Structure formats: structure tokens, C-alpha cells
Amino acid sequence: MIPTITAFAASPDRGRGLARDLRVRWALEEVGQAYAVRLVSFAEMKQPAHLALHPFGQIPTYEEGELALFESGAIVFHIAQTRAGLLPEGTNARARAITWMFAALNTVEPPLVEFSMARVFERDKPWYEQRQPMLEERARKTLGLLSSRLGDADWLDGAFSAGDLMMAGVLFRAKPTGILDGYPNLAAYVARAEARPAFKQAFAAQLAVFENGVAAG
Amino acid sequence: MIPTITAFAASPDRGRGLARDLRVRWALEEVGQAYAVRLVSFAEMKQPAHLALHPFGQIPTYEEGELALFESGAIVFHIAQTRAGLLPEGTNARARAITWMFAALNTVEPPLVEFSMARVFERDKPWYEQRQPMLEERARKTLGLLSSRLGDADWLDGAFSAGDLMMAGVLFRAKPTGILDGYPNLAAYVARAEARPAFKQAFAAQLAVFENGVAAG
């Protein structure tokens, strides 16, 4: 039995990799796990059947036999725990890779999402022009510290791990804002991630849903 | 050897449990693990020695022999993985408990933090009065869905787990805003968490730092 994930039937980003199922698809491709995709509309996401799977009415979800999970971080972690290829062997190295997963989601993503989402949802508000520099400064503070830590390394802590997958996934979503341009090593980090065959397959599969309405796994 | 964590030498919340070391202390108390605390000033947090431990210059950090971790979610997860008491036995139940950890940090905490932080840092801004209802609505949407899922259960998925520790910890930080008052089952959930001996010990230890300048573990 192969796992089934959910994804947007009509992604607001037109399939450009900004929806969070990209991370899950990418992780599945990295470990070589085939998967099925069930597309859900925005209306379906708010129905009891989907809320039973995802209490917050979002995508992605993950079903595998009796197991049902939600939250991209948790799903990627589960994939990394149960298949080889996304977490190092040693206990300490493993704990550090997991730390970067949490850091990506809880420290780096929030200011980037605030900054990017305000550009979409608050652009017509009277406060937008005045408030946006504050959000940009917060995002840049976090990116500056991340850039310092990465230095000229390829990945955050040795070989590519689920921590890098999550961090590069978070940075990738901020790329359209142009904010990464100020951090050449972070831009190169994301480019390295995008060059991975598993990322390319995941991206193509997500784009295909939008272009063809086909939920290819 | 016992682990050493870092905490604020002078917490902005005056030791009322809002700093993120509370979660780590609480987890350590739940599993019965003694620990040491090193207090750091805001100036020290931006110095290279601390940035080597925590790339984003925050607390808490966690040191245990050769292992150094940062990010409260990652530290609590490590404690839960390496000691008994915070994660269920079965593989699937364990994956679901971990899912609630990620949901607490990545889905529930961001809108609550945006709502609470704006009350502190944007109260004097010209847009505050106009913008705050939008933030409250976002926070309430998430809390409403969480409240529906919890229903009249004591904990999110069976027995108390690291998922509940993280979720209750996130909700506890929003309590001073009064927003939980609209969700009696969530308020009761946080009260159940606060009634746990391990929480009380963690809270008292954090308060003692502020009141006595003593870093008791």
C-alpha cells in the first residue's frame, strides 16, 4: 500500500511550488516512496470529512493504512523517521537535523510568511506602506543570522537532511518576494535544493496538477 | 551528567511563564530529569559564544555532553525521544503525538503570537486599532477549530503527551490576552496542564529566577 496525500485541486499559486504539499512530495521523492494524491477543493477542505483528517482544514494530509497525519512538518518527519535518506545515523546528528526542521518552521517561517502574506492580503490597507518596512526588517534579521550560520557550507549540518529540506522549502516560498537576493549564500542554498532530482520531480508533479488537473504521484 | 539549558537573566515577562524555556523545563520535570540552568543577558545572547549554540540568538538552548540543541520544539522532542513519559508506545500513536507538536508550533502559535505581540509592539502605531480585529479574527479561527477538535476530551489524542505539552504551552502564552475566555474547553485544557506537578515546578523555577536571580534547576 502506498501513502495518499492531499493537495489543492486549484492551488492559488498556479502550481508554482508554494503550497505546502511540495515539501511532502519532495520528501517522498527523496526516499523513493511512491504516493497517491487526492485533490481537494477549498469547499471540501472545510467539510467534516476533511476536518476529521486535518483539524485546521488545510492541506497536506497523509494517510497510510491506519495512520492519518496532518501538518507538513510532522509528515516530513514521519517520512524521514520511517525511510532511509533524510536523517543521519548518529543520535546526536539526528537530533541536530531535527532541530533545523523545527527552526525552519517555528523561527524562520513565521517572519517570512508575515512579510510575504502582507504583500498579498494587506497591500490595499491604509497601513501597508508604513508597516511593511518593519516586517521586512524582521525577516532580514532572521535571514541575516541564518546566512551567518550557513556560511559557505552546502547544507546546514553536514549532508543534506530533512532539516535542509524544510529550511530550503521555507526559503523557497519567500523567493518570489526577492528578499533572498540580499543573501547570496542563502539564494545558492535554495538553488542547490532546487537542483536535486527529488525536488524537480515534486515541483513538476505539483505543477502538473494545475496545468492538467492530473494528480500524478 | 545533567543537561544544561539557557534562560533569560532578566525575563521581559517578569518570570510569568511566557519565555520559551518554560516548555523545556516542563518537559524535563515530566520525565523526572534534573537539569542545570545558565542565565544569559540580552547582550550575551548576541555574542558569538551564544550564537554558536543558538544561531538566532535566542533562548532556550540545551547542552548534554557533546550534544548542543536549540529551539524549544526540538529540545522538547529530544527529551521526549530519549526519556519515557512524553510519547506513547505505538508507532502510529507516537506519530500523531508528534503531529500535535508541529501543529502547536507551526499552525496555532503563529496567529496567537501575531495577535499578542501586536498588542505589545504595535499598540502605539497609527494602524493598531484598525488592524487588530483582523489579527483577532485569524487567531479565533484557529482556536475555534482547535476547540472543535478537542471537544470534551482531556487531551488531544488519548493520554497527555509532548503534543499536549507543546499545545498547552502555546495556549498558555496567549492567556494574558483574554482570548481563551471564548473557548471554555481550551481554557479548561490549559488549566489541566497548569495543574500538573511538572508544570508547577517548571513555572516556580522560572519565577524564582526573576524573583531571586537564582537559576535553580
Side-chain angles (χ1 to χ4, degrees):
Chain A
M1 181 185 349
I2 64 170
T4 298
I5 68 167
T6 48
F8 290 132
S11 186
D13 74 334
R14 306 175 61 86
R16 302 307 300 179
L18 305 187
R20 285 188 170 87
D21 57 296
L22 181 74
R23 302 166 183 175
V24 171
R25 293 172 183 271
W26 182 10
L28 288 162
E29 295 288 354
E30 289 282 352
V31 302
Q33 173 65 58
Y35 62 101
V37 181
R38 191 173 68 251
L39 301 180
V40 288
S41 68
F42 285 103
E44 281 167 329
M45 283 164 61
K46 309 305 169 199
Q47 295 302 310
H50 189 74
L51 287 171
L53 274 177
H54 196 313
F56 301 100
Q58 314 268 341
I59 59 97
T61 60
Y62 179 95
E63 291 161 272
E64 188 180 13
E66 298 288 301
L67 179 66
L69 299 176
F70 62 97
E71 198 77 30
S72 61
I75 297 170
V76 168
F77 176 72
H78 175 74
I79 294 164
Q81 280 280 70
T82 52
R83 278 88 170 172
L86 281 173
L87 286 173
E89 288 289 322
T91 311
N92 287 2
R94 211 171 170 93
R96 288 197 305 270
I98 293 166
T99 292
W100 282 113
M101 290 188 69
F102 281 99
L105 294 171
N106 203 225
T107 294
V108 178
E109 185 161 60
L112 291 180
V113 164
E114 275 197 67
F115 173 67
S116 337
M117 288 295 121
R119 287 163 52 102
V120 178
F121 295 111
E122 298 180 47
R123 195 177 278 277
D124 61 343
K125 302 288 185 189
W127 59 75
Y128 178 76
E129 293 295 340
Q130 219 183 331
R131 190 171 177 272
Q132 200 62 3
M134 183 185 82
L135 297 189
E136 180 163 348
E137 193 192 318
R138 283 187 202 160
R140 286 195 181 279
K141 192 176 160 195
T142 301
L143 291 175
L145 289 165
L146 180 64
S147 172
S148 298
R149 168 55 69 105
L150 179 64
D152 56 8
D154 278 356
W155 306 111
L156 287 164
D157 190 350
F160 178 83
S161 77
D164 292 299
L165 186 150
M166 204 51 72
M167 187 66 81
V170 162
L171 297 177
F172 175 81
R173 290 183 82 213
K175 217 174 69 164
T177 67
I179 198 168
L180 295 186
D181 299 348
Y183 310 89
N185 67 336
L186 296 184
Y189 173 75
V190 176
R192 267 190 297 280
E194 289 180 70
R196 294 179 73 85
F199 180 95
K200 288 184 186 171
Q201 282 169 299
F203 187 89
Q206 201 182 57
L207 187 60
V209 172
F210 188 83
E211 293 189 338
N212 316 319
V214 174
Chain B
M1 181 185 351
I2 63 171
T4 298
I5 68 168
T6 48
F8 289 132
S11 186
D13 74 336
R14 308 175 60 86
R16 303 307 300 177
L18 305 186
R20 284 188 171 86
D21 56 298
L22 181 74
R23 300 165 184 177
V24 171
R25 294 173 184 270
W26 182 10
L28 288 162
E29 296 288 354
E30 288 282 353
V31 302
Q33 173 65 58
Y35 62 101
V37 181
R38 190 172 68 251
L39 301 179
V40 290
S41 68
F42 286 104
E44 281 167 330
M45 284 163 61
K46 310 303 169 199
Q47 295 303 310
H50 190 75
L51 286 171
L53 274 177
H54 196 313
F56 302 101
Q58 315 268 342
I59 57 98
T61 58
Y62 179 95
E63 293 161 90
E64 189 180 13
E66 298 287 301
L67 179 65
L69 300 177
F70 61 97
E71 199 76 28
S72 61
I75 297 169
V76 168
F77 177 73
H78 176 74
I79 294 164
Q81 280 279 72
T82 53
R83 279 88 172 173
L86 281 173
L87 285 173
E89 288 289 322
T91 311
N92 286 3
R94 212 172 169 91
R96 289 197 305 270
I98 293 166
T99 292
W100 282 112
M101 291 189 68
F102 280 101
L105 294 170
N106 204 224
T107 294
V108 178
E109 186 161 58
L112 291 180
V113 164
E114 274 196 68
F115 173 66
S116 340
M117 288 294 121
R119 288 163 50 101
V120 178
F121 296 111
E122 298 179 48
R123 197 178 275 277
D124 61 342
K125 302 289 186 191
W127 58 75
Y128 178 76
E129 294 294 339
Q130 218 183 332
R131 189 171 179 272
Q132 201 62 3
M134 182 184 82
L135 297 190
E136 180 164 349
E137 191 191 319
R138 282 187 203 160
R140 287 195 180 277
K141 191 176 159 193
T142 302
L143 291 176
L145 289 166
L146 181 63
S147 172
S148 297
R149 168 55 69 105
L150 180 63
D152 55 8
D154 278 356
W155 307 112
L156 287 164
D157 191 349
F160 178 84
S161 77
D164 293 298
L165 186 151
M166 205 50 74
M167 187 66 81
V170 162
L171 297 178
F172 176 82
R173 291 182 81 213
K175 217 174 67 163
T177 67
I179 199 169
L180 295 186
D181 299 348
Y183 310 89
N185 67 337
L186 296 183
Y189 173 74
V190 176
R192 267 190 297 279
E194 289 180 71
R196 294 179 72 85
F199 180 95
K200 288 183 185 173
Q201 284 169 300
F203 187 88
Q206 202 182 56
L207 188 60
V209 171
F210 188 81
E211 293 189 338
N212 315 318
V214 174

